[in-house]
Amino acid sequence: MSSPVVSAREAEVLALLGEHLSNAEIAARLSISVRTVESHVSSLLRKLEVPDRRALSRCAAEAARAERPRPAPALPAPLTTFVGRVRERGELAGAVKAHRQVTAVGPGGVGKTRLALAVAEETAADFADGVWFVDLVPVTDPGRVGAAVAAAVGVGEQPGRGIDDAVLATLADRRALLVLDNCEHVRDGVAPFLERLLAACPRLRVLATSRARLMVPFERVFPVPPLSRAGGDESEAAALFVDRAEAVGWPPDPMARDQVAAVCERLDGVALAIELAAARLPTLGLDGLTAGLSDQLRILAGGPRADDRHRSVRAVLDWSHDLLDPRDRALLRRVSAFVAPFTADAAAEVAGFAPLDPVAVADGLGRLAEQSLLVVTPSATGTRYRALETIRQYGAERLDGAGEAADVRSRHLDWCLAAATALAGAGGADWRGRFDAVADDLRAALAWAADRPERRADAYRLALSMAGPAFTRTLLGEAQQRYEQAAALAGDAAASAAALRHAAGVAGCRRLGDDMFRLHRAAAEAARRAGDAAGTARDLATAATVAYRFSTSFTRVPPVAETTAMLATARELSGGDPAAVAAVALAEAAVVADAFGAVQGSTGKTARESVEYAERAVALARRVGDPVAESAALDALSAAQSWTGASFDTAATARLRIDPLTALPPTPAATHELVDALNVATATALGVGRLPEARRWGGRLADHPLLAEAGDHATAWLLVADAFGGDVDGVLAGGVRFLDAWEHGGRPRSLALGAAAAAVAMAHGLRGDHEARASWLAVVDRADTTPEHRHGYGAIFDAMVLLHHGDAEAAAGRVAPEPDRVWKWVCWVWLHWYVALRAETAVLAGHPDARDRIDAARATVAGNPVATAQVDRAEALLDGDLPRLLAAAEAFDAAGCRYQWARTLVLAGGEHAATGGTALADLGLAPMTVR
């Protein structure tokens, strides 16, 4: 940007906003923290005088298009020149522009990938939001196509949504090109994924490469022919041969161009065959090459093959293979077990058995790389090798033909087991990179072992070993999948039940209530098969608790009759087992006493009875000595206490959960419980006016790795705390991250998300930006789970805006209902704020019951520094007591509520009003209207 008011760093942030990057992506690109990005975005909103992130992004995109060249497409950089294919490049580019999805189809080695990359680079200017390249070679599970796309695009998993849904949400409004390379082996996963992707992303184009059509109705097939041999020694095929021969230092004699043309003709113009042949020129010369091709171009024996061009690629590979030393042949076929780049040490473990000496494997890899049969890939962890996919598949066929497949893949499986075990107990800054380096091989080995009864036990071990690291890597969808896979592979029912419980914990972290319920029930069935009555009781009771405790995270809340029956069975089976008895007690607090205030809860129990049920659950859990179980019981108690109006007890109980959970290893269940505990502690601290404490807990929640890709859930309560404190800059900056994450996450719904959106709407209202406020109130409508919640936070935030603009009567109307009429919606976090506002609005609107409301509120909020100051201010206004009004202002300042401090000074009038007005302006707020 050229405006002098925008700093250099702000200009960088603004430019990346124009590319529709999230705050996390901007932070990664600029090597700064997400919070620093939020601060810059907030500053830009003020400086450029735009209401929200959408308008800011539009300004940034327009400025970027006018002042900067487009960013380079995110494509691999080829190491060799692209030769020929002028006609195909033009036609394929036209097809990509005209059709939503184009598949470049041709045999292996024909040059599909290079052609797709060339076309993607040439057409990148037509895609304002970028070009992404996804190599599907490492993907062995069709169900993980979406995960591969997510990794390429930079999309992380978000709680409550699968990785495929996260990709769809991210690309929904992007005008972009997605290149999917090597689709043939995962067609069953590519086709349904593309159908969903293209339906959800109307501006997206997809260019796929595959040996076979995807066989979907929306596909436009583009056959990729071999290189043209028309023109003899001037053909595209000959030009490629000459270029590659020159690269290895052996340019053909110009007088031998006819021989070059003949070689290319014999190779059917297949690009890979030509490149491999040219690489042999230094050792054979054209005469030897021609003679060798005459001997070696033959159809592979042993069953049907593909078309002639495909056979020609195999013929060249056969010939190249036969030139190798027998030991190098063995090494080539054995390293085909690796699907990702591998180290020399890994190759020695997997391939280093007779006739190969493990010590000599590294030398063999070097020789294969020299023969262009392996690609050398430098990495942070040392030199790695990989085979091009066509060569890897060729090696795999040779492995089968040599009768070594079972031995090599077993050794590969053993190597993967050791790698997974090492990851499970390791740490360090490079842990993530080490996991990513082996993850695809772990998946491939698991897929192979899972289908072999003799390796079932190893498959179980590998699935279980992968699950924990995947969870640590925040690949929550895969972690749950691996735990469930381990449960299915387990040799005994008890092990299956244990894996299913871990899977349920991951589902909890993902906010998938239906899966938590299903998995705990499945664990109960496995425990029953194992003859573990107490375990069955515990799992059934936990499933029943989940149905009530996390009812808002369900897509289909289980019927009351179903959970009641489960609880009855759990009671019968619990016997005297302490853990089972404690789990049943918690389920009774949830199902019988509705301690959690569930969507389906309506038991007729009094609030005091709910507390008694929860207290019993806490006492029993403490006897067991399980901090996770105790935390769940304390959650029930804090919720039940809130129904009695005991807000301070509620907050104190919520705080008790955190320290014991922090000390635990980060298992899925413990992590889920800790994130929930931090969430509740933040909210309940807000409820009693302890804003610094709320910010402390909220900061820990926002920084938790599990919420790195869920900025909406991470920052929700911080936004409310900042709103009550009057930190408008904090609210606006946090609102940017919140909205970005909420939209990318598929616009999930929860009470906390609705409250956060309402807090941002209030901040805009106090600034006098009613258009922005209306936009955020629309977000509230989509983010909350039930409209009744707005009797609580909605009424409070609306009343504060109305009071700021002098409409005391309307503000009084928003909090008119007696608290017990809207009890469920105000008694948890919002009770003190609600009753204090009822008192103040009554005074300012001149209602006759103002004194009674003040007295009632004072008894309720005693001990809450903010709400007490608000009630004191109301009484001082009613009595015309200026000293007491100024004392209330000081109390607000001490409690960290700068807005309320400034507002009080304005209400005090005279010289105090001028000070308060200046303070409001410094906060970025509109002038107050006093009537």
Side-chain angles (χ1 to χ4, degrees):
M1 297 291 292
S2 60
S3 171
V5 299
V6 176
S7 70
R9 178 63 82 185
E10 287 169 346
E12 291 176 329
V13 172
L14 184 62
L16 295 176
L17 285 171
E19 296 176 27
H20 302 281
L21 298 186
S22 68
N23 285 354
E25 291 168 332
I26 293 173
R29 184 79 65 86
L30 299 180
S31 299
I32 58 179
S33 71
V34 171
R35 291 189 177 181
T36 300
V37 174
E38 292 167 358
S39 176
H40 287 312
V41 171
S42 176
S43 177
L44 286 167
L45 287 168
R46 293 196 310 275
K47 289 182 177 181
L48 300 183
E49 299 181 345
V50 293
D52 54 30
R53 184 189 181 91
R54 291 187 183 89
L56 189 59
S57 295
R58 284 194 295 271
C59 291
E62 291 169 1
R65 282 192 290 269
E67 299 179 18
R68 293 190 293 108
R70 292 175 181 273
L75 300 172
L79 300 179
T80 56
T81 57
F82 185 80
V83 178
R85 295 206 181 275
V86 175
R87 179 182 61 82
E88 290 94 334
R89 287 163 72 175
E91 291 179 356
L92 183 54
V96 168
K97 294 176 184 179
H99 303 283
R100 296 289 311 284
Q101 194 265 309
V102 180
T103 305
V105 174
V110 78
K112 302 182 296 294
T113 298
R114 292 299 304 271
L115 176 60
L117 286 171
V119 168
E121 186 173 6
E122 289 177 4
T123 60
D126 296 321
F127 300 97
D129 295 316
V131 178
W132 291 287
F133 179 86
V134 184
D135 184 6
L136 296 179
V137 167
V139 179
T140 56
D141 180 355
R144 293 195 58 77
V145 170
V149 174
V153 175
V155 176
E157 192 160 344
Q158 292 127 2
R161 301 189 66 80
I163 193 68
D164 287 10
D165 291 332
V167 172
L168 267 57
T170 297
L171 300 181
D173 62 348
R174 303 288 183 95
R175 180 173 178 78
L177 174 64
L178 186 66
V179 182
L180 296 182
D181 196 35
N182 295 296
C183 297
E184 56 273 356
H185 63 299
V186 285
R187 282 192 302 164
D188 291 345
V190 172
F193 175 78
L194 286 186
E195 187 166 7
R196 291 186 63 205
L197 182 71
L198 293 172
C201 310
R203 305 174 70 195
L204 189 71
R205 293 283 190 277
V206 176
L207 172 57
T209 74
S210 179
R211 295 186 186 183
R213 291 180 295 161
L214 300 181
M215 301 296 290
V216 289
F218 50 83
E219 178 185 38
R220 182 76 173 190
V221 176
F222 184 89
V224 178
L227 287 166
S228 172
R229 280 93 69 203
D233 62 348
E234 299 294 329
S235 69
E236 290 181 342
L240 178 63
F241 185 96
V242 171
D243 181 85
R244 299 305 189 253
E246 289 175 344
V248 295
W250 282 80
D253 188 326
M255 300 301 294
R257 290 297 182 92
D258 287 342
Q259 284 182 279
V260 170
V263 168
C264 293
E265 187 64 38
R266 296 290 297 276
L267 294 177
D268 293 331
V270 175
L272 176 60
I274 292 171
E275 291 183 331
L276 288 171
R280 301 302 175 194
L281 195 59
T283 56
L284 295 176
L286 270 174
D287 290 341
L289 182 59
T290 301
L293 289 176
S294 297
D295 281 341
Q296 298 297 325
L297 284 176
R298 62 184 183 273
I299 299 174
L300 287 174
R305 299 298 177 199
D307 60 26
D308 289 341
R309 293 187 300 273
H310 205 165
R311 285 196 288 269
S312 294
V313 171
R314 294 183 185 279
V316 171
L317 290 171
D318 273 342
W319 166 78
S320 183
H321 173 269
D322 289 346
L323 291 176
L324 296 175
D325 177 275
R327 290 172 299 175
D328 288 347
R329 295 178 193 174
L331 182 58
L332 178 64
R333 64 177 178 260
R334 290 175 182 179
V335 296
S336 69
F338 292 99
V339 297
F342 55 90
T343 64
D345 288 342
E349 289 190 42
V350 173
F353 60 96
L356 297 181
D357 181 351
V359 177
V361 165
D363 287 340
L365 293 174
R367 289 191 296 273
L368 291 176
E370 290 173 1
Q371 298 295 325
S372 299
L373 292 169
L374 290 179
V375 176
V376 180
T377 306
S379 74
T381 55
T383 301
R384 291 180 176 269
Y385 300 85
R386 69 179 179 89
L388 297 176
E389 179 59 13
T390 302
I391 298 173
R392 192 188 73 81
Q393 291 184 6
Y394 177 84
E397 290 186 358
R398 284 284 181 175
L399 189 66
D400 289 335
E404 294 181 337
D407 286 344
V408 170
R409 296 198 183 282
S410 290
R411 292 172 72 94
H412 180 252
L413 173 61
D414 293 339
W415 176 81
C416 288
L417 283 165
T421 301
L423 282 170
D430 64 340
W431 183 91
R432 178 183 293 239
R434 287 186 286 119
F435 173 85
D436 291 344
V438 300
D440 285 324
D441 274 300
L442 302 184
R443 293 163 185 144
L446 179 57
W448 178 81
D451 291 334
R452 284 157 180 78
E454 72 277 11
R455 300 308 300 258
R456 184 184 181 94
D458 291 320
Y460 161 74
R461 287 175 52 212
L462 184 54
L464 200 60
S465 296
M466 288 180 66
F471 180 77
T472 303
R473 183 65 174 80
T474 64
L475 298 174
L476 302 188
E478 181 170 12
Q480 181 179 330
Q481 175 190 359
R482 299 308 173 201
Y483 278 125
E484 293 195 55
Q485 190 174 19
L489 292 167
D492 65 86
S496 179
L500 288 166
R501 291 173 192 130
H502 284 306
V506 180
C509 293
R510 301 175 71 198
R511 292 185 176 84
L512 299 177
D514 305 78
D515 275 8
M516 287 185 72
F517 184 75
R518 169 181 64 82
L519 289 165
H520 279 300
R521 294 202 67 176
E525 174 57 25
R528 183 196 63 76
R529 294 197 308 271
D532 181 4
T536 304
R538 187 171 66 252
D539 290 318
L540 285 174
T542 302
T545 299
V546 163
Y548 280 72
R549 185 183 178 194
F550 303 110
S551 61
T552 59
S553 68
F554 279 73
T555 56
R556 174 191 171 273
V557 176
V560 173
E562 181 180 356
T563 50
T564 302
M566 290 165 56
L567 176 56
T569 303
R571 286 195 194 101
E572 294 173 4
L573 296 174
S574 60
D577 181 83
V581 171
V584 168
L586 179 58
E588 289 173 337
V591 178
V592 178
D594 190 26
F596 295 106
V599 171
Q600 71 273 37
S602 181
T603 65
K605 298 290 184 183
T606 66
R608 185 62 245 171
E609 287 173 320
S610 294
V611 169
E612 291 170 357
Y613 272 87
E615 286 175 337
R616 178 173 178 267
V618 171
L620 291 171
R622 281 178 176 157
R623 292 178 195 172
V624 176
D626 179 356
V628 173
E630 183 178 341
S631 172
L634 286 169
D635 190 32
L637 178 57
S638 67
Q641 288 169 332
S642 77
W643 306 139
T644 69
S647 300
F648 293 101
D649 291 344
T650 300
T653 300
R655 290 195 300 274
L656 292 175
R657 301 171 59 192
I658 295 175
D659 287 343
L661 293 170
T662 303
L664 294 179
T667 64
T671 301
H672 176 222
E673 201 66 40
L674 176 59
V675 168
D676 183 75
L678 289 170
N679 186 69
V680 176
T682 305
T684 53
L686 280 171
V688 293
R690 294 171 180 162
L691 299 186
E693 182 179 319
R695 291 191 183 96
R696 184 170 71 253
W697 297 130
R700 282 188 58 182
L701 181 66
D703 292 337
H704 196 285
L706 194 69
L707 301 180
E709 298 292 339
D712 47 353
H713 290 283
T715 61
W717 289 116
L718 277 178
L719 286 173
V720 177
D722 286 343
F724 280 137
D727 181 3
V728 176
D729 285 348
V731 173
L732 295 181
V736 171
R737 179 185 179 192
F738 173 92
L739 187 59
D740 182 63
W742 180 70
E743 290 181 337
H744 277 76
R747 299 181 176 181
R749 298 168 70 87
S750 79
L751 181 153
L753 297 180
V760 181
M762 183 192 76
H764 283 293
L766 296 179
R767 295 176 69 229
D769 189 343
H770 299 294
E771 182 178 351
R773 178 171 182 254
S775 175
W776 275 93
L777 289 176
V779 174
V780 176
D781 289 336
R782 296 191 297 271
D784 200 357
T785 52
T786 55
E788 289 84 356
H789 284 305
R790 286 187 290 282
H791 284 305
Y793 67 75
I796 291 164
F797 289 136
D798 284 352
M800 290 175 69
V801 172
L802 291 166
L803 286 177
H804 186 86
H805 294 289
D807 196 346
E809 192 65 41
R814 284 297 282 120
V815 291
E818 294 284 347
D820 58 1
R821 286 178 49 201
V822 288
W823 192 246
K824 197 170 186 177
W825 316 120
V826 302
C827 62
W828 180 47
V829 172
W830 315 111
L831 177 61
H832 290 187
W833 304 96
Y834 189 87
V835 298
L837 268 170
R838 287 190 84 241
E840 182 173 2
T841 56
V843 170
L844 293 174
H847 285 199
D849 63 347
R851 182 75 64 183
D852 292 338
R853 290 192 184 185
I854 289 171
D855 293 341
R858 190 174 300 284
T860 300
V861 306
N864 181 326
V866 181
T868 297
Q870 196 164 1
V871 174
D872 287 345
R873 180 175 64 193
E875 190 167 33
L877 288 170
L878 183 63
D879 296 338
D881 188 340
L882 180 59
R884 194 171 183 188
L885 198 59
L886 296 177
E890 292 178 3
F892 281 124
D893 193 24
C897 289
R898 292 292 289 175
Y899 167 68
Q900 295 292 356
W901 165 76
R903 171 178 163 73
T904 307
L905 293 179
V906 172
L907 291 172
E911 61 183 20
H912 305 295
T915 302
T918 300
L920 290 175
D922 290 342
L923 290 172
L925 303 181
M928 255 181 63
T929 302
V930 180
R931 297 173 182 169

